[in-house]
Amino acid sequence: MQGEAAPQRSSVAVSRASRPGSMAGGNDEVGEFFEAQLRNPYLDAQAVHSLPSAEVTTLAVFKAGNPLRSVCTQVYTDSRFSNTVLVIIILNCILMLVTYSVECETKHPCLQEVAGPIDHVFTALFTLEMLIKIVALGFIAHDNAYLRSGWNVLDFVTVVGSLLSP
């Protein structure tokens, strides 16, 4: 479209030694994946630096070349992912504000009744976000794992609480 600026490329200065797949005995497939990620204009440099090394197996199942882990890593390191999550959080806050600040009238359907199914959609989206991060980062066993971040601990407790609530 005319008038729209092209997305800015992330300036990612990552040394070869810190790239997954470039360690001693590294996996060439992982190195190629990482090189392709560096060409991504939406690359989130902070997310890239939080990724585990190629030797780490997340959840004791997903090795560096695993297709599911590769997809989760691609999604996690894309800045559009974190931006989308922020938009979903804001929309969820607006829903809660409207739902709990408006009193029900007898002539119209109660907003709380309509908001219930929408809340389940938000819970599913937040659960998906959590699972993507856990597969990409690992759960707790190594540095930079999902539960090693205070914000992710808060997310985890919130999502588990939402899943356990009636």
Side-chain angles (χ1 to χ4, degrees), residues 21-37:
S22 62
M23 313 290 177
N27 185 338
D28 287 338
E29 182 180 327
V30 175
E32 289 171 14
F33 167 77
F34 194 78
E35 292 295 330
Q37 281 296 93

Side-chain angles (χ1 to χ4, degrees), residues 1-9 41-42:
M1 296 180 106
Q2 289 183 344
E4 282 190 27
Q8 295 291 323
R9 289 188 60 89
Y42 299 103

Side-chain angles (χ1 to χ4, degrees), residues 54-77:
E55 293 86 26
V56 173
T57 302
T58 60
L59 299 176
V61 177
F62 302 108
K63 295 185 180 192
N66 182 288
L68 178 61
R69 181 174 168 191
S70 294
V71 168
C72 289
T73 300
Q74 242 177 340
V75 170
Y76 172 71
T77 57

Side-chain angles (χ1 to χ4, degrees), residues 2-163:
Q2 289 183 344
E4 282 190 27
Q8 295 291 323
R9 289 188 60 89
S10 297
S11 58
V12 181
V14 181
S15 70
R16 237 194 210 306
S18 67
R19 294 178 184 173
S22 62
M23 313 290 177
N27 185 338
D28 287 338
E29 182 180 327
V30 175
E32 289 171 14
F33 167 77
F34 194 78
E35 292 295 330
Q37 281 296 93
L38 287 177
R39 293 186 293 273
N40 179 355
Y42 299 103
L43 187 67
D44 183 349
Q46 185 177 359
V48 170
H49 288 291
S50 68
L51 290 174
S53 67
E55 293 86 26
V56 173
T57 302
T58 60
L59 299 176
V61 177
F62 302 108
K63 295 185 180 192
N66 182 288
L68 178 61
R69 181 174 168 191
S70 294
V71 168
C72 289
T73 300
Q74 242 177 340
V75 170
Y76 172 71
T77 57
D78 194 316
S79 62
R80 294 172 292 186
F81 174 69
S82 55
N83 293 338
T84 302
V85 170
L86 286 174
V87 168
I88 292 170
I89 290 170
I90 291 168
L91 291 174
N92 191 21
C93 290
I94 291 169
L95 175 71
M96 290 189 315
L97 175 71
V98 171
T99 302
Y100 297 111
S101 66
V102 176
E103 292 187 25
C104 293
E105 295 179 13
T106 56
K107 295 181 182 180
H108 301 291
C110 185
L111 189 56
Q112 281 103 3
E113 293 173 10
V114 175
I118 297 171
D119 189 46
H120 291 303
V121 171
F122 281 119
T123 300
L125 291 172
F126 291 131
T127 303
L128 180 63
E129 176 221 0
M130 179 183 73
L131 293 174
I132 288 170
K133 286 183 174 182
I134 288 173
V135 171
L137 299 173
F139 190 59
I140 196 170
H142 61 84
D143 294 342
N144 295 327
Y146 181 75
L147 286 182
R148 299 287 176 124
S149 163
W151 287 112
N152 287 339
V153 170
L154 177 65
D155 286 346
F156 180 77
V157 169
T158 304
V159 169
V160 170
S162 294
L163 291 172

